[in-house]
Amino acid sequence: MPEYKAPLRDTKFVMQELLNCNEHYARLGYEDATEDMIDAILTEAGKFTEQVLAPINQIGDEQGCTWNDGDVTTPDGFKEAYQQYVEGGWPTLSQSVDFGGQGLPHSLNSHIAEMVSAANHSFAMYPGLSHGALATLEAHGTPEQQQMFMPKLVEGTWTGTMCLTEPHCGTDLGMLRTKAELNDDGTYSLSGTKIFISAGEHDLSENIVHIVIARIPGSPAGTKGISLFAVPKFNVTPDGEKADRNGVNCGSIEHKMGINANATCVINFDNAKGYLIGEVNRGLHCMFTFMNAARLGVANEGVAAADASYQGALAYAKERLQMRSLSGPKNPEGPADPIIVHPDVRRMLLTQKSIAEGGRAFVGYLAQLVDEVEHGTDEKLNAVAESKLALLTPIAKAFLTEVGFECTSHGVQIFGGHGFIKEWGMEQLMRDTRISMLYEGTTGVQAIDLLGRKILGSKGELIKPFAAEVMAFCQEHGTDDDMAEFIKPMISFGVKWQEMTKEIGMKAMTNPDEIGAASVDYLMYSGYMTLAYFWAKMAKVAQDALAAGTEEKGFYEAKIKTAQFYFQRILPRVKGHAACINNGGESMMSLTADDFLF
């Protein structure tokens, strides 16, 4: 199993040098988020992920979870690790001080979440969904509900889930059958079955609070009749203490391709007591608070997977001896050269490196936008941040998980035959990561959201704030010779991006299927362009550091060289996506269903 090392230096580069978190936190009033405090927290997070979570990652995959008459037992070491996680105060880090949290920035917690996921994806999912449950309760819950549920969720002694999918419906939530009937005391009795519920039952926390969508009898059909509820595994007293068992039961756990140490559950609600969150029939609106938080968390999973696979592949490539370099022996005293000298291995390693580090910058940027939305006092800045989040969230979720999975495939390939063998850990990373492309809406769902609802639905207005930021950067550095190799392709491909958007809109006026046909290619084009922006910014920061005479010359030179690789070998992929978009959807829609023969 590869030895995981928390990427502390690069994380600090992104936070402090690229995104200027110190000024960002000071402006938003995070008085405790000083540079020394951030360094100390990141260092401790590195120790915890390296020494506690990473060592039980492979054990968790081998043992998996076990189900017995409704109870789920996690693999060896998970319960103890979770106890250390709670005792270390990690669940409370970015939560409100009103409910026992430390009140530190969301963006700081986001970088720690990446480390947790990279070290142990299955473990990360147990506390991970609690953040979405907390955000939903804080935004839409009543004061009484917040006092009942939030202190224990913040503390980490309780965990949360998101219950959407049912056996007969996945993305099409309007088809749900779970019903909620009003009780005399104002609570509701929920009955129905939910499937694919991550961390739906386990032995890590004292209680589990399920955030559940259901339909109240008499409500409109479809998504207009969805309401949202908090349904605890154990009933809760008004002062937030655990009481008797609720009508919530785990019917089974799924046997999966990966993340075997996280229990993916069938949850049965049998007249379970629940509490309405928000207004009747406004559940989907409230649920999007949870889903948007979860989509950013899943984007982080893609970055984590790319980095973990890169770390393992890099260590192996430096040690594994195979063949001689085409340009002459590089290890003349040995029987062969280390495989890192071979161009194709370099191609895969640099792809992993450019995606992991570029993705870290992308997610870090989004996390700071969340800080702005949650704690900013300037209405104009908040509105701009919300627009950028709306545009970039589907791109980040879908693009970073797609390319993150690609990076895990490169990890297997670099190991050769050994990559296919379990004890090396690379195939586990690939299996564990595959689910991230499905979570919170598949790539196709995110693509339709981006192109259909966000871009065309807003008549292009939503893209303007982020496009203006990118254009301002290009204009600022457009005459800088050292930046020309980055700025020129960004402008060229950016113009093409605008042209394609208009062309798709025109085609869609006569054939709406053109939106679906173009959507995934459009999203991937958008993803590569967005990552190019962050790589160009990182290259500029590195150039400035070298010009100032930094003592870390190797670190900053590597940034510039990786940026050059990204622009020369990864960004040109947009040409293929553009060609597919330009060719339209006729070839994929011309066959009838009966023509798909086998």
Side-chain angles (χ1 to χ4, degrees):
M1 191 73 185
E3 181 182 5
Y4 175 71
K5 291 294 182 183
L8 298 180
R9 179 64 187 93
D10 197 62
T11 298
K12 293 175 184 178
F13 169 80
V14 168
M15 292 184 69
Q16 296 168 348
E17 299 177 64
L18 178 70
L19 300 176
N20 197 4
C21 71
N22 297 329
E23 180 181 314
H24 170 76
Y25 294 153
R27 182 174 58 81
L28 294 178
Y30 289 109
E31 296 178 358
D32 292 336
T34 63
E35 186 169 347
D36 289 343
M37 175 66 80
I38 292 167
D39 286 349
I41 291 172
L42 291 175
T43 298
E44 289 305 309
K47 291 178 182 177
F48 179 72
T49 53
E50 292 170 5
Q51 299 172 12
V52 178
L53 298 186
I56 60 172
N57 187 33
Q58 192 169 30
I59 295 169
D61 181 61
E62 292 170 352
Q63 293 184 359
C65 293
T66 56
W67 178 93
N68 182 31
D69 194 25
D71 294 326
V72 172
T73 303
T74 52
D76 291 347
F78 271 61
K79 194 169 185 178
E80 294 78 8
Y82 187 76
Q83 186 62 36
Q84 291 184 55
Y85 181 79
V86 172
E87 290 173 354
W90 298 112
T92 70
L93 196 70
S94 62
Q95 299 301 329
S96 170
V97 294
D98 294 338
F99 301 102
Q102 298 180 53
L104 289 167
H106 167 83
S107 54
L108 173 59
N109 189 69
S110 177
H111 286 287
I112 293 168
E114 182 211 318
M115 299 180 201
V116 174
S117 182
N120 194 321
H121 188 166
S122 289
F123 179 93
M125 293 176 62
Y126 285 107
L129 288 171
S130 297
H131 293 287
L134 282 163
T136 303
L137 286 164
E138 190 164 18
H140 306 291
T142 65
E144 293 78 13
Q145 291 169 353
Q146 292 169 352
Q147 289 300 327
M148 284 178 67
F149 298 116
M150 289 186 65
K152 296 289 187 181
L153 284 169
V154 167
E155 187 178 71
T157 51
W158 295 359
T159 54
T161 76
M162 176 169 57
C163 296
L164 304 181
T165 306
E166 299 186 7
H168 64 286
C169 70
T171 303
D172 192 354
L173 300 177
M175 295 173 61
L176 70 86
R177 294 173 183 163
T178 299
K179 66 178 181 179
E181 298 182 297
L182 181 63
N183 297 322
D184 292 339
D185 62 358
T187 64
Y188 287 78
S189 291
L190 277 79
S191 297
T193 296
K194 300 289 184 178
I195 65 170
F196 303 159
I197 308 306
S198 300
E201 173 61 28
H202 54 80
D203 58 355
L204 304 185
S205 64
E206 298 173 2
N207 201 1
I208 301 172
V209 181
H210 301 284
I211 306 299
V212 187
I213 58 170
R215 194 182 308 280
I216 297 171
S219 293
T223 57
K224 293 181 179 179
I226 293 175
S227 296
L228 187 65
F229 303 86
V231 186
K233 172 183 172 181
F234 287 92
N235 285 312
V236 180
T237 65
D239 58 352
E241 295 300 321
K242 187 177 77 169
D244 59 322
R245 183 67 185 253
N246 201 2
V248 180
N249 178 265
C250 176
S252 64
I253 57 175
E254 305 293 351
H255 303 282
K256 309 186 297 290
M257 176 181 179
I259 55 167
N260 292 319
N262 189 272
T264 304
C265 304
V266 174
I267 299 293
N268 298 314
F269 298 95
D270 184 11
N271 288 318
K273 180 185 284 188
Y275 302 83
L276 177 68
I277 300 175
E279 299 177 18
V280 171
N281 299 333
R282 291 281 289 165
L284 202 58
H285 167 75
C286 298
M287 198 71 217
F288 267 109
T289 300
F290 200 139
M291 293 175 69
N292 284 332
R295 285 196 289 175
L296 293 178
V298 175
N300 223 357
E301 291 176 3
V303 177
D307 190 59
S309 187
Y310 169 62
Q311 289 191 29
L314 177 62
Y316 185 80
K318 288 180 176 180
E319 296 177 358
R320 177 69 169 174
L321 304 181
Q322 290 283 281
M323 301 184 294
R324 290 295 187 190
S325 167
L326 295 175
S327 57
K330 302 297 185 291
N331 178 36
E333 303 302 320
D337 290 330
I339 62 173
I340 197 170
V341 306
H342 303 309
D344 189 54
V345 173
R346 291 292 186 99
R347 173 186 64 84
M348 292 184 283
L349 286 171
L350 279 165
T351 298
Q352 293 175 310
K353 179 178 172 64
S354 66
I355 296 301
E357 295 178 9
R360 182 173 297 122
F362 187 3
V363 172
Y365 172 86
L366 294 175
Q368 286 197 355
L369 292 178
V370 174
D371 292 342
E372 189 75 55
V373 170
E374 291 183 348
H375 293 280
T377 57
D378 186 315
E379 292 184 3
K380 289 184 178 180
L381 289 178
N382 286 3
V384 169
E386 287 180 345
S387 294
K388 291 177 180 178
L389 276 171
L391 172 75
L392 296 173
T393 294
I395 298 174
K397 187 277 163 186
F399 174 76
L400 291 176
T401 56
E402 289 281 346
V403 293
F405 180 72
E406 176 193 341
C407 289
T408 66
S409 179
H410 288 321
V412 171
Q413 191 78 359
I414 289 168
F415 272 70
H418 293 290
F420 205 65
I421 306 301
K422 282 182 177 285
E423 54 260 38
W424 290 93
M426 303 309 286
E427 59 84 39
Q428 181 191 336
L429 279 171
M430 192 173 183
R431 287 187 289 107
D432 286 352
T433 302
R434 185 60 183 85
I435 187 64
S436 299
M437 298 151 75
L438 307 177
Y439 277 149
E440 314 312 328
T442 63
T443 299
V445 169
Q446 303 298 328
I448 284 289
D449 177 47
L450 172 68
L451 180 56
R453 194 162 73 91
K454 302 290 178 59
I455 303 295
L456 299 180
S458 71
K459 294 182 170 56
E461 288 298 312
L462 196 65
I463 201 172
K464 288 183 178 179
F466 182 66
E469 177 182 331
V470 175
M471 183 56 64
F473 177 83
C474 290
Q475 290 175 345
E476 181 182 358
H477 303 290
T479 58
D480 186 343
D481 291 341
D482 290 336
M483 289 294 293
E485 62 183 312
F486 308 120
I487 300 300
K488 288 181 179 179
M490 283 179 63
I491 293 174
S492 174
F493 290 136
V495 170
K496 180 63 177 176
W497 195 3
Q498 292 176 333
E499 292 173 351
M500 286 191 309
T501 304
K502 292 178 182 178
E503 290 168 3
I504 295 167
M506 293 297 293
K507 289 180 180 178
M509 292 176 68
T510 56
N511 182 6
D513 275 340
E514 289 291 343
I515 299 174
S519 60
V520 170
D521 285 296
Y522 186 89
L523 184 144
M524 295 302 290
Y525 192 110
S526 304
Y528 287 119
M529 284 296 296
T530 303
L531 222 62
Y533 169 59
F534 289 108
W535 268 115
K537 290 192 71 172
M538 288 191 284
K540 179 57 181 172
V541 173
Q543 289 174 0
D544 290 346
L546 289 168
T550 176
E551 296 180 357
E552 295 181 279
K553 186 178 179 181
F555 176 84
Y556 292 104
E557 287 181 342
K559 279 292 176 194
I560 295 171
K561 292 174 182 176
T562 307
Q564 291 169 334
F565 171 85
Y566 182 84
F567 272 79
Q568 294 175 21
R569 299 300 301 258
I570 303 297
L571 184 58
R573 294 180 183 186
V574 298
K575 296 178 181 179
H577 290 296
C580 290
I581 292 170
N582 290 339
N583 288 334
E586 183 178 355
S587 63
M588 67 176 71
M589 302 303 293
S590 59
L591 288 179
T592 68
D594 291 336
D595 288 333
F596 282 88
L597 304 176
F598 61 89

